[in-house]
Amino acid sequence: MVRSKFLASLIFSLVIIALSVAWMPVPDASAADPNTFNRLMKPPSKRNPPPTQDGIHDPGSIGTQGLQTPREAFKPLPQGQSGNYVDWVKAFDAKKIQPRFDSKDPKAKPVIMDLTIVRQVKGSMPDVIFPHKQHTEWLDCSNCHPVPFVPQKGANQMSMASIMLGESCGVCHGKVAFPVADCRRCHTEAKGKATKTSAKAAAKPAVSKKK
Amino acid sequence: MALTLCKRIMVLGLTIVSLVLLTQNVSHAEYGDVVMNKYSDDSGIRPVVFPHWFHRIRFRCKVCHADLGFKFKAGGNDINMLKIIDGEYCGACHNGDIAWSVENCDLCHSAKPKTPTQVHESTLQKLIRPAGAPK
């Protein structure tokens, strides 16, 4: 019973894969040099393209032509390694940008919370340090608590796989905040440096998972 | 028990891969650009492109995602023009007071027709194709 169900769903997925491969656009071999230097990676010259060339804006619309080009806006900002290729944390700290905290009042000031949480990581990767400071500079507590994180050290299950699928830290990282490619911005603390409290915290998830 | 879980995960994995294959739409738009096309195509107007990079230079995430109630989900907010002219969502700022007002249709409705609702350059979009490789 279970087995046939499994087979049926397996076949279903395989059929979908076959269909989607068949539907995938076939590259036009005659159109371009097959041996371009970067075959899969987007070369630096193609980063932050103007709206008229970015593939989603309609180049024929007057509106599109009136929009700002990211490159122009990013010129005065510190460079990042991926995403927008802007280091938004440095840009903010150096006051190169002064994003409003309130839509109307340019002087409204946020409440910043400086609490860091160490998450011990399985395997060779350095531990993850989650800083509340940089997050509360941009976000409200309600953006993270209680969804996607219960506000209790170690009470949340996290893994790289779920982050890549857009859960946990991946709700923002990989969509708007710096992407997963910047491993070392999250995996910052060398193994073994973590304090005793965080070791306890790492042992907790098994208990709270039942909920 | 462990085996069936394993199988379930496998099927789920395959389904995700195939969905990604089916829905992939190659472009090299700016990271974080959101296309909104829940109603636009059906109403005969270009879909909307919302540029995160442009707005985050001017506002913290909290202004939109806490004060104005935008949920973290492309297409998840059921935005339409009536709500906008009544001062909700984009209309909280695009009212001729904080930012230019709604009569500038083409500045928001600037996407190629038929572009589906999505967040550009997201990790999910890139899983099978590194860094938004050129077509």
Side-chain angles (χ1 to χ4, degrees), chain B residues 25-102:
Chain B
N25 179 293
V26 187
S27 82
H28 32 275
E30 188 58 33
Y31 181 69
D33 276 6
V34 179
V35 175
M36 286 178 257
N37 191 2
K38 210 165 170 182
Y39 305 110
S40 301
D41 265 346
D42 292 342
S43 313
I45 191 159
R46 291 186 186 89
V48 172
V49 181
F50 172 80
H52 262 106
W53 63 269
F54 184 93
H55 288 87
R56 74 177 295 183
I57 287 174
R58 291 158 177 81
F59 301 97
R60 319 222 181 175
C61 325
K62 169 258 180 200
V63 171
C64 292
H65 290 293
D67 300 354
L68 301 178
F70 282 99
K71 296 193 195 89
F72 286 138
K73 178 101 191 61
N77 289 284
D78 223 22
I79 304 171
N80 64 35
M81 287 317 290
L82 178 61
K83 291 180 185 169
I84 291 177
I85 60 167
D86 282 346
E88 290 181 63
Y89 297 113
C90 322
C93 300
H94 288 279
N95 53 10
D97 187 16
I98 299 174
W100 41 259
S101 81
V102 280

Side-chain angles (χ1 to χ4, degrees), chain A residues 2-3 6 9-10 12-14 16-17 20-21 23-25 38-43 46 48-49 53-64 66-70 73-74 77 83-84 88 92 97-104 110 112 137-140 142-143 164-165 171-180, chain B residues 4 7-8 10-11 14-19 21-22 24-35 46 49 52-63 65-68 70 72 92-93 97-98 100 106-113 115 118-124 126-135:
Chain A
V2 178
R3 186 151 191 191
F6 167 69
S9 36
L10 187 67
F12 173 73
S13 329
L14 286 175
I16 295 194
I17 290 194
S20 36
V21 169
W23 270 74
M24 262 187 354
N38 290 117
R39 193 177 77 82
L40 291 176
M41 193 187 84
K42 178 162 64 178
K46 289 247 171 75
N48 312 119
Q53 295 167 23
D54 69 2
I56 55 169
H57 286 90
D58 187 343
S61 161
I62 343 162
T64 302
L67 297 175
Q68 192 178 27
T69 295
F74 296 167
L77 307 184
N84 299 117
W88 293 106
F92 182 92
I97 55 170
Q98 299 188 32
R100 287 188 187 185
F101 183 70
D102 182 275
S103 63
K104 295 191 190 72
I112 308 287
E137 269 160 358
W138 288 98
L139 294 149
D140 192 73
S142 68
N143 289 134
M164 307 252 272
L165 288 177
V171 168
C172 301
H173 291 281
K175 286 172 179 159
V176 177
F178 71 82
V180 175
Chain B
T4 47
K7 285 177 179 173
R8 270 198 211 155
M10 216 171 100
V11 170
L14 283 173
T15 314
I16 289 174
V17 168
S18 38
L19 282 178
L21 279 172
L22 264 180
Q24 75 162 338
N25 179 293
V26 187
S27 82
H28 32 275
E30 188 58 33
Y31 181 69
D33 276 6
V34 179
V35 175
R46 291 186 186 89
V49 181
H52 262 106
W53 63 269
F54 184 93
H55 288 87
R56 74 177 295 183
I57 287 174
R58 291 158 177 81
F59 301 97
R60 319 222 181 175
C61 325
K62 169 258 180 200
V63 171
H65 290 293
D67 300 354
L68 301 178
F70 282 99
F72 286 138
C93 300
D97 187 16
I98 299 174
W100 41 259
D106 287 345
L107 286 176
C108 290
H109 292 277
S110 61
K112 286 180 180 161
T115 313
Q118 60 194 301
V119 198
H120 276 276
E121 300 285 293
S122 69
T123 308
L124 258 181
K126 292 206 251 177
L127 275 183
I128 44 151
R129 175 184 275 272
K135 217 202 282 200

Side-chain angles (χ1 to χ4, degrees), chain A residues 148-149 156-159 162-163 165-173:
Chain A
F149 303 112
N156 301 273
Q157 282 269 304
M158 300 177 194
S159 73
S162 62
I163 293 173
L165 288 177
E167 289 154 23
S168 186
C169 317
V171 168
C172 301
H173 291 281

